[in-house]
Amino acid sequence: MTAPKLTDPFERDISYLRVSVTDRCDFRCQYCMAEHMTFLPKKELLSLEELDRLCSQFVRLGVRKLRITGGEPLVRRGIMGFFNAMGRHLESGALEELTLTTNGSQLRRHAADLYAAGVRRVNVSLDTLDEAKFAEITRWGRLAQVLDGIDAAQEAGLKIKINAVALKGFNDVEIHRMVEWCGARGFDLTFIEVMPMGEMDADRLDQYWPLDAVRAELATRWRLSESSHRTGGPARYMRVEETGGRIGFITPLTHNFCESCNRVRLTCTGQLYMCLGQDDDADLRAVLRANPSDDAPLEAAIREAISRKPEGHDFDYSRREVRGEVSRHMSVTGG
């Protein structure tokens, strides 16, 4: 018997689950986490078996797209076993897509296994093609390792989308180069507005570059036309006539996409966030561990949480103030 869909108070069907499998990462990107992070004790993290049980429950309740995030998901020990377990939902037809967001550092090691598990596309976070700037923004990262990982992903047959956070005064001089590079490699490119999450300081506000301005700058060199392409996420795409590639824009601040939000986020500790920009959450770990052999309470807890999904977030950088910020780091919720 098919379970009723997960539908929020605004009649939006929840069909997309983003799951953080770890808060750990081998980079320390400045807009994502502090340089000296205190990571969660292992006992607080969901085991891979618990993640399987939770994700499978969401799939049974109508989730059709599952994106694995972190931290950096590929640094978690045994993670390919989890991808292989989720692959059974692709084989049954219950799940339409299994994908992940990664910093690319571990793709050389895992790309072929990801493809074998049913993953067909990955998002790689890459804000700059300048080696020195890459080391600066990631603190610990090496650009050559990421580019090699991207090569490995292509060799394995994975489709790649590059995600770049638009940062005024940092990568604003590179956006044309990024478009050219992605076009030549056959990658879609998505620009993202920096969001007020985690430790806030003046730099975050000073680096905020609204994507209206990014788009205007791109239009000085490239012919952009509207595209109907959608991936199930919040990006809105345009086609670059010169390259045939696509550029996506994720604009949580200038033009929020809340009216069509079909997503919820599950953290590596089992907290379900109904909105990235709100602090309200539901503790699914407690329900999961209190009912090891009965999924009925888990389904009830999920449905109750979805009934509290808000209409939208409160992110706002207007009047040179940061409003609507949330205290948790992006790495805790999942990128």
Side-chain angles (χ1 to χ4, degrees):
M1 182 176 175
T2 303
K5 288 182 178 180
L6 293 174
T7 304
D8 76 4
F10 305 95
E11 299 302 314
R12 298 171 297 194
D13 290 335
I14 306 305
S15 59
Y16 182 2
L17 177 65
R18 300 177 65 105
V19 183
S20 172
V21 295
T22 181
D23 64 328
R24 287 162 170 76
C25 187
D26 48 350
F27 293 176
R28 296 291 183 273
C29 293
Q30 293 185 23
Y31 52 78
C32 184
M33 59 174 68
E35 183 171 6
H36 303 289
M37 286 289 289
T38 300
F39 291 113
L40 297 165
K42 186 176 180 180
K43 65 180 181 181
E44 293 188 16
L45 300 183
L46 294 174
S47 68
L48 294 177
E49 292 75 18
E50 288 172 327
L51 282 165
D52 183 341
R53 185 181 166 200
L54 264 176
C55 291
S56 296
Q57 181 73 349
F58 273 98
V59 171
R60 191 181 74 82
L61 297 177
V63 161
R64 304 288 288 167
K65 178 177 178 178
L66 188 62
R67 176 173 294 279
I68 310 306
T69 70
E72 169 48 48
L74 297 181
V75 302
R76 176 150 186 182
R77 183 175 299 177
I79 192 60
M80 285 314 307
F82 174 72
F83 275 101
N84 289 330
M86 291 299 98
R88 73 185 188 274
H89 298 306
L90 292 171
E91 293 175 1
S92 72
L95 191 64
E96 290 179 358
E97 184 175 37
L98 173 65
T99 184
L100 80 151
T101 296
T102 174
N103 65 26
S105 68
Q106 305 301 313
L107 279 175
R108 172 59 67 182
R109 179 180 167 199
H110 291 297
D113 290 336
L114 287 166
Y115 190 91
V119 175
R120 293 295 177 265
R121 67 186 184 98
V122 298
N123 288 1
V124 180
S125 300
L126 181 63
D127 302 320
T128 176
L129 293 170
D130 181 282
E131 190 172 356
K133 284 185 176 182
F134 185 86
E136 176 188 348
I137 195 71
T138 64
R139 295 190 179 108
W140 294 9
R142 293 187 299 113
L143 179 61
Q145 182 180 3
V146 171
L147 296 180
D148 180 62
I150 290 172
D151 289 341
Q154 270 200 309
E155 292 161 12
L158 294 170
K159 185 174 177 59
I160 297 162
K161 179 164 75 73
I162 301 297
N163 286 345
V165 176
L167 299 168
K168 186 171 61 178
F170 179 77
N171 61 4
D172 45 2
V173 296
E174 285 190 78
I175 61 170
H176 297 297
R177 182 187 177 195
M178 293 284 285
V179 171
E180 187 173 33
W181 181 75
C182 287
R185 296 291 301 266
F187 304 154
D188 286 349
L189 169 63
T190 294
F191 290 107
I192 306 170
E193 289 176 334
V194 67
M195 287 178 273
M197 301 186 69
E199 294 177 356
M200 296 300 301
D201 53 35
D203 289 342
R204 185 75 57 88
L205 184 55
D206 290 342
Q207 286 185 333
Y208 169 56
W209 191 17
L211 291 195
D212 283 351
V214 174
R215 183 169 164 175
E217 173 59 30
L218 289 172
T220 66
R221 176 170 171 182
W222 309 96
R223 287 180 295 128
L224 305 178
S225 58
E226 295 292 337
S227 170
S228 60
H229 178 69
R230 294 290 183 269
T231 62
R236 297 296 176 262
Y237 287 88
M238 302 201 76
R239 176 182 168 84
V240 184
E241 296 298 330
E242 289 86 348
T243 69
R246 287 183 292 252
I247 300 178
F249 299 91
I250 297 180
T251 54
L253 291 118
T254 52
H255 302 288
N256 77 55
F257 34 75
C258 302
E259 72 282 350
S260 60
C261 183
N262 62 343
R263 298 168 297 284
V264 290
R265 293 171 181 257
L266 181 68
T267 73
C268 54
T269 58
Q271 315 319 118
L272 182 68
Y273 284 94
M274 289 68 78
C275 175
L276 177 63
Q278 303 280 1
D279 278 322
D280 186 30
D281 70 304
D283 184 1
L284 299 185
R285 182 184 62 189
V287 180
L288 190 77
R289 293 180 176 176
N291 301 275
S293 59
D294 183 2
D295 283 342
L298 184 58
E299 177 180 345
I302 291 171
R303 291 192 181 281
E304 192 280 329
I306 299 302
S307 75
R308 293 188 276 118
K309 183 172 171 63
E311 187 172 12
H313 62 66
D314 299 320
F315 290 153
D316 184 12
Y317 280 159
S318 64
R319 303 185 188 87
R320 298 294 297 169
E321 293 180 87
V322 178
R323 297 182 179 177
E325 69 267 28
V326 296
S327 59
R328 65 189 185 276
H329 286 280
M330 191 71 183
S331 60
V332 173
T333 312

